[in-house]
């Protein structure tokens, strides 16, 4: 189990390095998806399937879609068809796809091979997470809401400057 | 039932309610004056709420928050400083009719909420969330100057990246600490020959904290960011955020001795911080950058007191924090009093030449504040530095004391050269000033001057015992009779 988690960690790290070294933003986004999937696999292998699911749904799903949208809206100019052809050469998507397949194979292997040991450490279910979030840590949920509020206002504040400054 | 094991110091819910009210008011109709008033009322009410709490503390001390004299004292300092900073920015915000900047008071209150949450936290979770709330609000505040948009954005970007890096290191350290202890409560790092993981965790947490405190070698961002930010926000960074993070640092290590493997690192960081800050300040020609470098050096002095846990430590830290906050806020208030419009901000020190002849009152107060920072007797800074030196002597930190002396001598040079510029004569006054029409700034400057002077004359009155002092070792009981009290 430990080696598998380390392997996913290595894939995550590789993906992260590829993200910051790519020249084209869309290619970086592809590797970012791999990074997030690798992180989700690590969570799943460490017994936190709920966190893994959230990672996939929220980060690899929703936020990445937002990223792709923004990048597509910013890069106007070239004709769409040319750009799409250039972005989606096999050479480009082969790397991320390969890494994702590796992660998938690892997940399947760990699900099929690992014996369900009944020990003191049970996997954390959504119920456990919810109970602790709305039990002892309810004040922290409130504080996080203020953190998000601060981020929102700051982003709005800076963004308004930018548009007015032009 | 959830509610019966909640424990919350009262300033936190008051600040949160104030934030929500501000948001509602802004959503209804934008009005800078009303937002400023609401922020002022919120801060004053929270000031009154210090010392009270909601709910009952957990019987075994397993709460998320803790409320003791140290937390109350630093919360008091933070709220008073935020109040001063709000008053400093009042005039500039009201004059700027073209850009309604309601977000400024809102972000100021939010940043104060983050700082207060750090101060009261007994657990890594509220501490880290507080750090992040403070950092995100500061980012918006730094970029809030319209007239120097490019510089402000650059400063904000620098702050974003470096604060992100330091938060990542801090979080990694917290994760390792959780992995080794299995608890998110603040627990003093294991002393003696600890195994690797807790030691690495402690060092990473320390590095994160030093980044936020801008101790040398993690200091490079502070002068740039403070220079790009509006002066009140620079004061906020120099005072509120540093007091909050220092308060958490003291809470993290508790009152005991620091573990042995940290002695070398801490000494090196302290010496580098004192000397580095002072040497950097020597070469500055811009007053705000100079203040940033001097604030780096002051963090070094403060760390000496932190690193010498003895009978005098509590008084030294208490007095030094108050002295540093009052003097720094005073200097920034005077800088704000001169910035009539955002464009005419006096940039270089030579712009202040001849101030004693044109504005004698402001020049006198500015000199008093500077003398206090330099540690010359009429100001409260003298006793603060004296106490810090006394803690060092008590624990026989010879090397650190030498750094303190050398740093203070270098400090005297650049502090006094500002006073010399103020006294210099010039035929044409370069700083075009008219009589300032802001009673709140004048009041603030008078009050801060009174604190600096009265605190310098009667420092013993300002010395509550806020930190429990460590028990005396048995063999030292005979040699130490009475802790020295500088009461005049």
């Amino acid at each position: 189990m430990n080696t598998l988690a380390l392997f996913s960690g290595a894939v995550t790290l590789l993906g992260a390095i590829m993200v910051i070294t790519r020249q084209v933003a869309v290619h970086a986004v592809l590797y970012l998806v791999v990074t997030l999937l690798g992180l989700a696999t690590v969570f799943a292998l460490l017994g936190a399937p709920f966190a893994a699911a959230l990672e996939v749904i929220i980060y690899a799903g929703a936020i990445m879609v937002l990223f792709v949208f923004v990048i597509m809206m910013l890069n106007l100019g070239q004709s769409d068809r040319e750009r799409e052809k250039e972005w989606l050469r096999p050479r480009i998507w082969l790397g991320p796809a390969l890494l994702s397949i590796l992660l998938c194979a690892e997940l399947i292997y760990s699900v099929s091979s690992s014996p369900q040991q009944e020990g003191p450490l049970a996997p954390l279910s959504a119920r456990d997470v919810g109970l602790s979030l709305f039990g002892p840590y309810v004040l922290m949920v409130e504080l996080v809401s203020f953190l998000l509020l601060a981020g929102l206002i700051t982003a709005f504040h800076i963004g308004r400057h930018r548009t007015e400054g032009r | 039932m959830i509610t019966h094991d909640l424990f919350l110091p009262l300033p936190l819910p008051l600040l949160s309610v104030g934030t929500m009210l501000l948001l509602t008011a802004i959503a209804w109709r934008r009005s800078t004056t009303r937002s400023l008033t609401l922020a002022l009322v919120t801060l004053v009410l929270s000031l009154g709420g210090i010392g009270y709490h909601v709910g009952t503390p957990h019987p075994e001390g397993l709460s998320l928050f803790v409320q003791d004299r140290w937390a109350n004292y630093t919360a008091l300092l933070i709220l008073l400083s935020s109040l001063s900073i709000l008053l400093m920015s009042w005039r500039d915000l009201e004059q700027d009719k073209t850009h309604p900047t309601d977000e400024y008071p809102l972000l100021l209150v939010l940043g104060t909420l983050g700082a207060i949450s750090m101060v009261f936290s007994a657990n890594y979770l509220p501490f880290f969330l507080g750090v992040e709330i403070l950092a995100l609000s500061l980012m918006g505040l730094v970029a809030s100057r319209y007239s120097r948009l490019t510089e402000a954005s650059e400063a904000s970007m620098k702050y974003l990246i470096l604060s992100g890096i330091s938060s990542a290191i801090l979080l990694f350290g917290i994760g390792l600490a959780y992995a080794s202890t299995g608890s998110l409560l603040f627990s003093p790092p294991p002393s003696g020959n600890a195994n690797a993981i807790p030691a690495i965790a402690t060092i990473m947490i320390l590095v994160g904290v030093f980044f936020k405190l801008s101790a040398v070698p993690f200091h490079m961002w502070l002068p740039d960011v403070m220079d790009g930010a509006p002066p009140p926000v620079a004061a906020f960074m120099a005072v509120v955020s540093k007091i909050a993070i220092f308060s958490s640092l003291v809470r993290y290590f508790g009152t005991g001795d620091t573990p042995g493997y940290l002695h070398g690192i801490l000494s090196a960081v302290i010496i580098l911080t004192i000397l580095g800050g002072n040497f950097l300040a020597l070469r500055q020609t811009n007053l705000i950058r100079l203040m940033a470098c001097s604030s780096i050096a002051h963090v070094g002095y403060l760390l000496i007191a932190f690193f010498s846990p003895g009978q005098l430590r509590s008084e030294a830290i208490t007095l030094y924090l108050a002295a540093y906050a009052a003097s720094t806020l005073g200097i920034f208030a005077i800088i704000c009093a001169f910035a009539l419009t955002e464009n005419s901000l006096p940039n270089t020190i030579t712009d202040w030449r001849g101030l004693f002849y044109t504005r004698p009152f402001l020049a006198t107060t500015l000199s008093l504040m500077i003398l206090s920072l330099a540690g010359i007797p009429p100001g409260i800074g003298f006793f603060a530095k004296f106490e810090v030196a006394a803690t060092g002597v008590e624990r026989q930190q010879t090397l650190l004391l030498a750094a303190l002396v050398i740093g203070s001598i270098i400090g005297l040079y650049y502090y006094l050269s500002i006073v010399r510029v103020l006294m210099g004569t010039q035929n044409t006054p370069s700083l075009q000033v008219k009589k300032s029409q802001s009673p709140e700034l004048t009041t603030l400057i008078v009050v801060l001057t009174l604190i600096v002077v009265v605190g310098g004359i009667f420092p013993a009155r300002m010395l509550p015992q806020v930190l429990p002092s460590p028990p005396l070792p048995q063999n030292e009981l005979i040699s130490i009779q009475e802790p020295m009290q500088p009461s005049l």
Side-chain angles (χ1 to χ4, degrees):
Chain A
M1 209 55 151
N2 215 350
T3 39
L4 283 181
L6 281 179
F7 175 73
S8 333
V11 171
T12 312
L13 201 62
L14 188 66
I17 292 171
M18 296 301 267
V19 170
I20 57 172
T21 49
R22 292 307 91 185
Q23 304 277 336
V24 183
V26 171
H27 304 164
V29 165
L30 284 181
Y31 276 106
L32 193 52
V33 174
V34 174
T35 311
L36 294 170
L37 289 179
L39 212 54
T41 322
V42 175
F43 281 142
L45 291 176
L46 290 180
F50 185 61
L54 283 186
E55 185 85 22
V56 172
I57 294 170
I58 296 176
Y59 289 97
I63 292 184
M64 279 305 114
V65 171
L66 217 62
F67 266 46
V68 171
F69 256 117
V70 170
I71 291 170
M72 281 170 67
M73 285 166 78
L74 286 182
N75 272 354
L76 298 175
Q78 267 177 314
S79 83
D80 288 344
R81 187 170 300 185
E82 262 177 53
R83 208 174 32 174
E84 217 168 277
K85 207 188 257 174
E86 178 148 347
W87 279 355
L88 294 180
R89 291 215 183 101
R91 193 159 57 84
I92 302 303
W93 55 258
L94 212 57
L98 210 65
L99 288 176
S100 306
I101 290 169
L102 273 180
L103 285 175
C104 184
E106 183 194 344
L107 210 58
I108 291 170
Y109 169 74
S110 70
V111 166
S112 60
S113 73
S114 74
Q116 288 294 325
Q117 80 243 26
E118 293 297 323
L121 294 173
L124 285 172
S125 65
R127 185 172 179 277
D128 301 327
V129 175
L131 271 182
S132 83
L133 274 188
F134 289 95
Y137 290 118
V138 64
L139 289 176
M140 295 304 100
V141 177
E142 300 298 321
L143 261 188
V144 168
S145 73
F146 279 99
L147 174 65
L148 292 180
L149 183 65
L152 196 67
I153 295 168
T154 298
F156 172 69
H157 195 45
I158 296 178
R160 206 165 53 115
H161 281 208
R162 284 265 175 233
T163 46
E164 280 178 9
R166 282 211 182 120
Chain B
M1 195 56 204
I2 297 174
T3 45
H4 66 84
D5 40 80
L6 287 188
F7 172 70
L8 194 60
L10 196 56
L12 279 167
L14 284 177
L15 283 169
S16 316
V17 170
T19 313
M20 303 315 291
L21 280 180
L22 262 170
L23 261 183
T24 322
I26 292 172
W28 182 37
R29 193 166 59 83
R30 279 180 170 272
S31 149
T32 312
T33 315
R34 196 177 46 205
S35 301
L36 282 168
T37 319
L38 263 175
L40 186 73
V41 171
T42 308
L43 288 176
V44 170
L45 281 181
S46 325
L47 207 56
I50 291 178
Y52 300 96
H53 55 82
V54 185
T56 45
H58 198 280
E60 292 147 40
L62 293 174
S63 309
L64 293 168
F65 295 103
V66 64
Q67 192 170 31
D68 53 9
R69 300 183 75 165
W70 171 241
N72 282 336
Y73 175 71
T74 42
L76 179 77
L77 276 185
I78 285 172
L79 284 173
L80 284 177
S81 311
S82 296
L83 212 55
S84 317
I85 287 154
L86 191 72
L87 291 177
M88 273 183 222
S89 11
W90 196 291
R91 187 194 55 189
D92 282 349
L93 291 184
E94 278 214 318
Q95 273 183 353
D96 197 0
K97 294 289 180 208
T98 47
H99 304 283
T101 42
D102 288 292
E103 294 90 349
Y104 187 97
L106 182 58
L107 286 175
L108 193 70
V109 174
L110 265 175
T112 314
L113 172 71
I116 294 287
S117 152
M118 282 153 79
V119 162
F120 282 114
S121 55
N123 189 306
Y124 290 120
L125 267 180
F127 165 66
F128 185 74
L129 288 176
V131 167
E132 285 302 290
I133 294 176
L134 181 59
L136 277 180
S137 323
L138 260 176
M139 216 174 76
L141 287 174
V142 166
S144 68
R145 191 147 58 169
Y146 285 95
S147 54
R148 293 176 65 194
L149 195 60
T150 332
E151 292 95 328
S153 309
E154 187 193 324
S156 185
M157 195 68 197
K158 270 180 191 159
Y159 186 70
L160 167 70
I161 291 173
L162 283 166
S163 139
I165 291 174
S166 59
S167 296
I169 297 173
L170 190 64
L171 200 57
F172 203 154
I174 291 175
L176 286 180
Y178 181 61
S180 64
T181 60
S183 149
L184 280 171
L185 286 172
F186 276 155
S187 53
S191 50
N193 292 325
N195 51 355
I197 293 214
I200 294 173
T202 312
I203 289 171
M204 289 189 92
I205 290 176
L206 262 186
V207 168
V209 165
F210 282 156
F211 247 117
K212 305 272 181 199
L213 268 181
S214 73
V216 179
F218 315 105
H219 64 288
M220 291 313 292
W221 57 277
L222 190 73
D224 290 347
V225 175
M226 271 171 79
D227 190 27
V233 177
F236 193 80
M237 293 183 110
V239 178
V240 172
S241 111
K242 288 197 178 180
I243 291 179
I245 196 89
F246 185 77
S247 162
S248 309
L249 180 68
V250 171
R251 162 125 18 244
Y252 173 62
F253 278 101
T255 48
D257 208 344
T258 44
Y261 55 88
L262 285 177
H263 284 185
I265 302 173
L266 272 173
S267 307
V269 166
I270 291 172
I271 293 171
L272 277 177
T273 305
I274 293 176
L275 296 183
N278 279 314
F279 275 117
L280 273 179
L282 268 186
R283 299 184 50 209
Q284 303 300 333
T285 53
N286 178 330
L287 191 58
I288 291 184
R289 290 185 80 92
L290 188 140
M291 285 306 297
C293 298
S294 107
S295 114
I296 296 173
H298 281 279
V299 165
Y301 303 145
L302 202 51
L303 283 175
I304 292 186
F306 159 73
F307 185 43
S308 316
Q311 297 300 303
L312 298 173
R313 183 170 90 146
S314 155
E315 287 166 9
I317 290 180
T318 315
L319 195 58
Y320 208 94
L321 282 180
Y324 171 72
S327 315
T328 310
L329 285 174
I331 292 178
F332 275 101
I334 293 164
I335 293 177
C336 290
F338 279 104
L340 286 180
T341 63
E342 291 200 335
N343 290 321
S344 71
L345 187 71
N347 260 328
T348 56
I349 296 173
T350 43
D351 284 347
W352 298 74
R353 183 177 296 280
L355 202 66
F356 264 107
Y357 305 100
T358 49
R359 301 292 295 276
F361 166 67
L362 286 181
T364 317
T365 47
L366 181 59
S367 314
L368 270 174
M369 303 290 179
I370 287 174
L371 290 184
S372 161
L373 275 186
I376 293 176
I380 186 174
F382 166 68
F383 281 106
K385 207 172 256 179
F386 178 82
E387 288 269 347
V388 165
T391 57
V393 171
E394 188 191 8
R395 300 291 291 198
Q396 296 174 349
Q397 314 268 21
T398 325
L399 214 56
L400 299 185
L401 285 174
L404 174 77
V405 170
I406 296 171
S408 301
I409 293 171
I410 304 170
L412 270 185
Y413 172 74
Y414 62 81
Y415 286 128
L416 289 184
S417 79
I418 302 177
V419 180
R420 184 177 57 88
V421 169
L422 292 181
M423 287 179 171
T425 51
Q426 198 182 36
N427 296 330
T428 52
S430 60
L431 204 59
Q432 295 292 335
V433 285
K434 57 182 182 190
K435 285 289 172 195
S436 134
Q437 287 146 359
S438 44
E440 77 279 349
L441 262 178
T442 320
T443 322
L444 180 65
I445 293 172
V446 169
V447 168
L448 286 172
T449 315
L450 279 180
I451 292 175
V452 166
V453 173
V454 174
I457 298 173
F458 307 106
R461 300 282 165 81
M462 301 179 66
L463 282 180
Q465 178 80 17
V466 291
L467 276 173
S469 42
L472 277 177
Q474 284 305 313
N475 52 354
E476 285 181 27
L477 268 175
I478 311 123
S479 59
I480 299 176
Q481 279 129 22
E482 187 66 39
M484 196 168 27
Q485 289 270 355
S487 49
L488 288 186

